[in-house]
Each structure stands twice: as structure tokens, then as C-alpha cells.
């Protein structure tokens, strides 16, 4: 991304806003990924550049929903800031914890594109530094909100990550912890809770597809609970083509068990 090498933050910001493709069906995903990739390359090559880019990304990530609301072109600045924070976090184990502290704040953002950017950042950190990231994310689940839990589920349920058997097992453990929080929750009326529930209806199926023996056993256990939200998550998971197409008999058996 040549404009990043110019060192002119105003030109960079103007370019990102102009090329945002927001409002629109999709933001400029290629531009966002190019920004994150370039940030990582520059930051990894030079300590001073790393400091400058970190400050820039944090500043962008801190742009408020009032100043860059959903579907406003300026929203791309916040998205790029979050992706940049995650990218710099992949440079070293020391950077991971600092990046995760910032991403934890952004996981609470009311804008869905920002929350998705957090999940992508978590994906990259898990791919690069699995152990330290998993340790930190377990802390998110112990003390975090519905939206931080949503970020964890979305971040780890990436097919490339789940191809690693250890990460697949870790993903199932994390989903178990999240669903325990759901099952024991008294407050379930918030938008944040419904955002988490919707995400779990998709991410749990990805985990089950990656680790079918343990995954299906867990789905069977959850399907016996007299809890409408837990059963909804199971039903949504069973609709996934990876599961329904490859394990039709198992899916039919669990559905019959729920009737």
C-alpha cells in the first residue's frame, strides 16, 4: 500500500475515506486487508515505524460511533484502525497482549463492522501466537460481556484455524464456556445477547464440522436442555450444509431428540 509509505497521515485518511465503498453492501475489504498487511510489514521492519503506526491505528480505532456511524464512509477509518491493531499484535508475543487489551475495548462497539474487524484480528493472533492468545481469550470469557464473547466465538471459528486439531479442541472448549454463560444467564433481552446468539448459531456448526465426534456429542447434550435459546442455537447449527450434508443420520437423530 504505497500511500502508507509516504508518512502523510492526512493523505492516508483522505484516501481511506474516499475508497471506503461505504455506504454500500460491503466495505472495501481489499483495501482494509491491504492496510493491515502493510501496517504489519512496516511495523515489523522498523521499531520507530512500529510505534508511529501503533499510535495511528489506536487513534483510528478510537473514532467514536458518533463521529463515524454505521454506513458513514468514515467508518472505514475505525475498521482499518482495529485491523491495524491486530496486525501489529502478530509481530511478537509481547505485542499480542497489548493488542488484545485494545481489541477487547473495540469488541464492545455498537457498529457491527467494527466487531467483525475485532474477530478478524483475533483470528490472526490465534494463527500466529496460539497459546498466549488462547490464555487471554479465556479471560475475556470469565469477565467479558456478550459482545466480547461473540468476538471470541467468531474469531476462533475460522475454517483455516479449525484445521489445526489443537485449535479445534480449544474452540470447542471456548464454545462450551460461552454456552454455559448463556444457559445460566438471567438477562437475555439485549441487542448484545441476540448478536451473540446469532453468531453462535453459525460458529458452533463450524466447530462441530471440524471435530465431529466431540462436537456432535456436545450438540446432543445441549439438545436435551429445556432452554429455548440453547435449542435455537442447536437447530441453527444443524442447518449448516457441512454438517447436514456429511452427517445426515446424526443430524436427523438430534432433531428427532428435540421434538
Amino acid at each position: 500500500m504505497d500511500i502508507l509509505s509516504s508518512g502523510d497521515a492526512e493523505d492516508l485518511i483522505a484516501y481511506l475515506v474516499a475508497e471506503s465503498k461505504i455506504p454500500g453492501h460491503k466495505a472495501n475489504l481489499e483495501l482494509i486487508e491491504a492496510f493491515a498487511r502493510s501496517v504489519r510489514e512496516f511495523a515489523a521492519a522498523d521499531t520507530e515505524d512500529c510505534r508511529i503506526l501503533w499510535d495511528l491505528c489506536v487513534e483510528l480505532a478510537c473514532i467514536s460511533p458518533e463521529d463515524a456511524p454505521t454506513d458513514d464512509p468514515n467508518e472505514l477509518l475505525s475498521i482499518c484502525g482495529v485491523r491495524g491493531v491486530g496486525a501489529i499484535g502478530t509481530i511478537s508475543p509481547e505485542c499480542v497482549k497489548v493488542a488484545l487489551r485494545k481489541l477487547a475495548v473495540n469488541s464492545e462497539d455498537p457498529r457491527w463492522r467494527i466487531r467483525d474487524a475485532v474477530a478478524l484480528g483475533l483470528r490472526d493472533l490465534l494463527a500466529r501466537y496460539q497459546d498466549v492468545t488462547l490464555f487471554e481469550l479465556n479471560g475475556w470469557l470469565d469477565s467479558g460481556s456478550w459482545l466480547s464473547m461473540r468476538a471470541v466465538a467468531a474469531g476462533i471459528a475460522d475454517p483455516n484455524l479449525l484445521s489445526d486439531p489443537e485449535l479445534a479442541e480449544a474452540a470447542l472448549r471456548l464454545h462450551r464456556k460461552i454456552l454455559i454463560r448463556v444457559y445460566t444467564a438471567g438477562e437475555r433481552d439485549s441487542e448484545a445477547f441476540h448478536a451473540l446468539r446469532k453468531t453462535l448459531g453459525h460458529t458452533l456448526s463450524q466447530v462441530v464440522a471440524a471435530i465431529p465426534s466431540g462436537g456432535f456429542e456436545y450438540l446432543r447434550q445441549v439438545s436435551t436442555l429445556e432452554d429455548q435459546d440453547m435449542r435455537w442455537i442447536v437447530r441453527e447449527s444443524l442447518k449448516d450444509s457441512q454438517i447436514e450434508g456429511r452427517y445426515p443420520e446424526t443430524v436427523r437423530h438430534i432433531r428427532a431428540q428435540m421434538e
Side-chain angles (χ1 to χ4, degrees), residues 129-143:
Y129 295 109
Q130 175 180 323
D131 291 342
V132 65
T133 305
L134 284 174
F135 179 82
E136 294 295 322
L137 293 184
N138 271 285
W140 284 30
L141 301 189
D142 292 335
S143 59

Side-chain angles (χ1 to χ4, degrees), residues 130-187:
Q130 175 180 323
D131 291 342
V132 65
T133 305
L134 284 174
F135 179 82
E136 294 295 322
L137 293 184
N138 271 285
W140 284 30
L141 301 189
D142 292 335
S143 59
S145 68
W146 295 133
L147 290 180
S148 63
M149 286 184 243
R150 178 200 175 277
V152 174
I156 201 167
D158 176 80
N160 290 327
L161 292 179
L162 294 174
S163 64
D164 178 335
E166 290 187 10
L167 270 176
E169 291 282 359
L172 182 57
R173 289 195 299 271
L174 289 172
H175 275 72
R176 282 178 177 270
K177 288 186 71 171
I178 293 170
L179 284 158
I180 288 171
R181 291 285 301 275
V182 169
Y183 183 59
T184 58
E187 181 279 305

Side-chain angles (χ1 to χ4, degrees), residues 24-258:
H25 181 61
K26 289 185 178 180
N28 191 336
L29 302 181
E30 291 183 0
L31 177 60
I32 295 166
E33 293 309 305
F35 177 87
R37 185 170 56 251
S38 296
V39 163
R40 184 183 186 283
E41 291 171 355
F42 279 105
D46 186 275
T47 302
E48 182 62 18
D49 281 349
C50 183
R51 183 188 65 79
I52 293 171
L53 288 168
W54 173 261
D55 289 345
L56 172 64
C57 289
V58 168
E59 183 178 351
L60 295 178
C62 287
I63 297 174
S64 70
E66 291 72 31
D67 292 328
T70 298
D71 290 334
D72 184 289
N74 287 298
E75 186 184 11
L76 194 90
L77 299 177
S78 294
I79 299 169
C80 285
V82 171
R83 292 293 288 119
V85 166
I88 293 173
T90 66
I91 292 174
S92 71
E94 293 73 25
C95 292
V96 173
K97 292 184 179 181
V98 179
L100 283 169
R101 283 198 292 272
K102 178 57 189 159
L103 292 177
V105 174
N106 288 114
S107 72
E108 306 278 352
D109 199 284
R111 295 165 292 185
W112 66 269
R113 289 189 181 96
I114 308 303
R115 299 199 300 266
D116 283 355
V118 171
L120 291 173
L122 296 184
R123 177 203 65 186
D124 293 346
L125 292 170
L126 284 163
R128 184 76 174 173
Y129 295 109
Q130 175 180 323
D131 291 342
V132 65
T133 305
L134 284 174
F135 179 82
E136 294 295 322
L137 293 184
N138 271 285
W140 284 30
L141 301 189
D142 292 335
S143 59
S145 68
W146 295 133
L147 290 180
S148 63
M149 286 184 243
R150 178 200 175 277
V152 174
I156 201 167
D158 176 80
N160 290 327
L161 292 179
L162 294 174
S163 64
D164 178 335
E166 290 187 10
L167 270 176
E169 291 282 359
L172 182 57
R173 289 195 299 271
L174 289 172
H175 275 72
R176 282 178 177 270
K177 288 186 71 171
I178 293 170
L179 284 158
I180 288 171
R181 291 285 301 275
V182 169
Y183 183 59
T184 58
E187 181 279 305
R188 300 188 186 183
D189 294 328
S190 65
E191 290 183 16
F193 176 83
H194 288 287
L196 170 64
R197 191 184 80 150
K198 181 179 179 181
T199 294
L200 290 171
H202 170 69
T203 60
L204 185 56
S205 68
Q206 304 303 300
V207 175
V208 172
I211 184 169
S213 56
F216 275 120
E217 178 57 32
Y218 181 59
L219 284 184
R220 288 191 186 94
Q221 294 171 12
V222 175
S223 69
T224 65
L225 299 174
E226 293 298 326
D227 184 289
Q228 294 305 309
D229 289 311
M230 300 288 277
R231 292 166 72 88
W232 183 91
I233 292 167
V234 173
R235 289 192 187 95
E236 289 299 302
S237 299
L238 293 175
K239 292 177 183 178
D240 189 279
S241 59
Q242 290 189 84
I243 291 179
E244 194 166 24
R246 292 163 58 189
Y247 307 99
E249 290 298 324
T250 304
V251 168
R252 278 196 289 271
H253 180 269
I254 295 175
R255 283 175 172 159
Q257 183 175 281
M258 297 175 72

